[in-house]
Amino acid sequence: MYKWIFAVGGFILMNRSFSGAVLGFIIGTFIDNYQKISAASQSQQSSDGRKRSFTHEDLFSYYQQQTQSYDVPTMLMALSAAVMKADGKVLKAELDYVKQFLRNQFGDQFSTRHLQTLKHFLQGTIPLNDICNDIKFRMQPEVRIQLIHYLFGIAKADGDVSKSEMDEIQRIALLLQISTSDFESVKNMFYRDEASDYKILGVEASATDDEIKKAYRKMVIKFHPDKVASLGEEYVKGAQEKFQKIQEAYENIKKKRGIK
């Protein structure tokens, strides 16, 4: 609108000059564009000044666009946001954990773009069903279990895994079709009790020594870092951490029982 008002004004003020009309048109165009930008910015603010919350459809569309170029980091950020929001507050300790994880896993490939993706997911209702279905289709079971290991790391970043965080991680595990025994194994690496070492190996505390040895060998084969070596270094690093927890659990049981 202003471009035409200023065009006419410039034409009249500059003695019916064509150049005056052009100058007025340009100035009016700048004003029109500024108003459009301002209106778009305001539309992303709610009445109390907070940024608008993206809908389920908004975020899944964004997820699909991002995974075309940044598949694994986008998956991580979507699940990270779900756990970080679970207890109703996003803590600095959790954000620091995510940053450190990304630096360790992706090295020079880590950038502020990953954090911008995380921020985007934190601003709306995360379409977990759709995202987990996509991850389930793209990733093999061993890698999906590593994702649960990572999510527990976020939840434990502040020193405690709350019930709401536990429930959200368990929900994600179910959506990713991770078995109860595998979930309990990872859970007990972070949420420990007297039977945790046994649960990590997937056996009861009443198991015989032979059953424990057999369970340990099974876990070693199932979760050895070499299983994901072909997928890239970032997967191997995550697998090594989980593999170490399995070995520690077995050594603890051996020490308690005097197993040779």
Side-chain angles (χ1 to χ4, degrees), residues 80-94 122 154-169:
S80 299
V83 174
M84 292 170 74
K85 293 171 61 176
D87 57 2
K89 55 184 183 294
V90 177
L91 302 177
K92 183 177 182 299
E94 296 170 339
L122 288 170
I154 294 176
K156 195 66 181 289
D158 62 346
D160 177 62
V161 180
S162 69
K163 183 181 184 304
S164 56
E165 290 172 329
M166 178 73 72
D167 290 344
E168 188 73 343
I169 296 173

Side-chain angles (χ1 to χ4, degrees), residues 146-201:
Q146 285 180 223
L147 290 179
I148 299 301
H149 187 277
Y150 161 72
L151 295 178
F152 267 112
I154 294 176
K156 195 66 181 289
D158 62 346
D160 177 62
V161 180
S162 69
K163 183 181 184 304
S164 56
E165 290 172 329
M166 178 73 72
D167 290 344
E168 188 73 343
I169 296 173
Q170 188 166 20
R171 177 190 171 202
I172 292 170
L174 287 172
L175 290 172
L176 293 177
Q177 291 189 344
I178 291 171
S179 70
T180 300
S181 60
D182 284 332
F183 175 77
E184 287 296 321
S185 174
V186 177
K187 169 186 169 182
N188 280 274
M189 295 177 184
F190 296 90
Y191 199 79
R192 295 184 60 80
D193 57 33
E194 291 182 359
S196 287
D197 288 325
Y198 294 97
K199 292 176 182 176
I200 288 172
L201 297 184

Side-chain angles (χ1 to χ4, degrees), residues 14-241:
M14 298 188 70
N15 298 320
R16 300 181 180 276
S17 167
F18 178 74
S19 60
V22 172
L23 179 61
F25 183 86
I26 293 172
I27 293 173
T29 299
F30 276 118
I31 294 174
D32 285 340
N33 289 341
Y34 174 78
Q35 287 192 327
K36 289 179 182 178
I37 294 170
S38 178
S41 177
Q42 289 177 359
S43 71
Q44 292 184 10
Q45 303 288 326
S46 62
S47 58
D48 60 0
R50 294 177 301 175
K51 289 193 174 180
R52 73 179 179 92
S53 179
F54 293 100
T55 67
H56 177 287
E57 291 75 15
D58 289 337
L59 281 185
F60 190 60
S61 177
Y62 175 77
Y63 170 85
Q64 290 177 311
Q65 292 170 3
Q66 289 294 101
T67 51
Q68 291 177 8
S69 301
Y70 306 97
D71 54 351
V72 176
T74 300
M75 293 173 189
L76 288 172
M77 293 305 94
L79 298 182
S80 299
V83 174
M84 292 170 74
K85 293 171 61 176
D87 57 2
K89 55 184 183 294
V90 177
L91 302 177
K92 183 177 182 299
E94 296 170 339
L95 182 58
D96 289 342
Y97 180 90
V98 172
K99 288 180 180 178
Q100 189 59 49
F101 178 87
L102 289 171
R103 290 190 188 100
N104 291 341
Q105 297 298 99
F106 299 101
D108 294 338
Q109 297 178 45
F110 168 72
S111 70
T112 56
R113 181 182 292 273
H114 296 132
L115 298 181
Q116 290 170 353
T117 300
L118 175 65
K119 183 178 179 181
H120 204 93
F121 282 113
L122 288 170
Q123 292 176 359
T125 303
I126 299 171
L128 269 183
N129 283 27
D130 294 327
I131 289 174
C132 287
N133 280 336
D134 181 64
I135 293 173
K136 187 173 60 179
F137 176 76
R138 293 171 182 246
M139 292 185 168
Q140 61 193 62
E142 291 82 3
V143 178
R144 281 181 256 147
I145 293 170
Q146 285 180 223
L147 290 179
I148 299 301
H149 187 277
Y150 161 72
L151 295 178
F152 267 112
I154 294 176
K156 195 66 181 289
D158 62 346
D160 177 62
V161 180
S162 69
K163 183 181 184 304
S164 56
E165 290 172 329
M166 178 73 72
D167 290 344
E168 188 73 343
I169 296 173
Q170 188 166 20
R171 177 190 171 202
I172 292 170
L174 287 172
L175 290 172
L176 293 177
Q177 291 189 344
I178 291 171
S179 70
T180 300
S181 60
D182 284 332
F183 175 77
E184 287 296 321
S185 174
V186 177
K187 169 186 169 182
N188 280 274
M189 295 177 184
F190 296 90
Y191 199 79
R192 295 184 60 80
D193 57 33
E194 291 182 359
S196 287
D197 288 325
Y198 294 97
K199 292 176 182 176
I200 288 172
L201 297 184
V203 297
E204 299 291 333
S206 58
T208 66
D209 291 354
D210 285 342
E211 287 173 334
I212 289 169
K213 290 178 182 179
K214 183 178 179 180
Y216 170 69
R217 288 193 293 269
K218 181 180 178 181
M219 295 292 277
V220 166
I221 294 171
K222 186 174 182 179
F223 295 110
H224 196 283
D226 287 350
K227 293 273 287 186
V228 295
S230 62
L231 299 177
E233 185 179 356
E234 63 270 18
Y235 289 102
V236 174
K237 288 179 180 179
Q240 286 172 337
E241 183 179 347

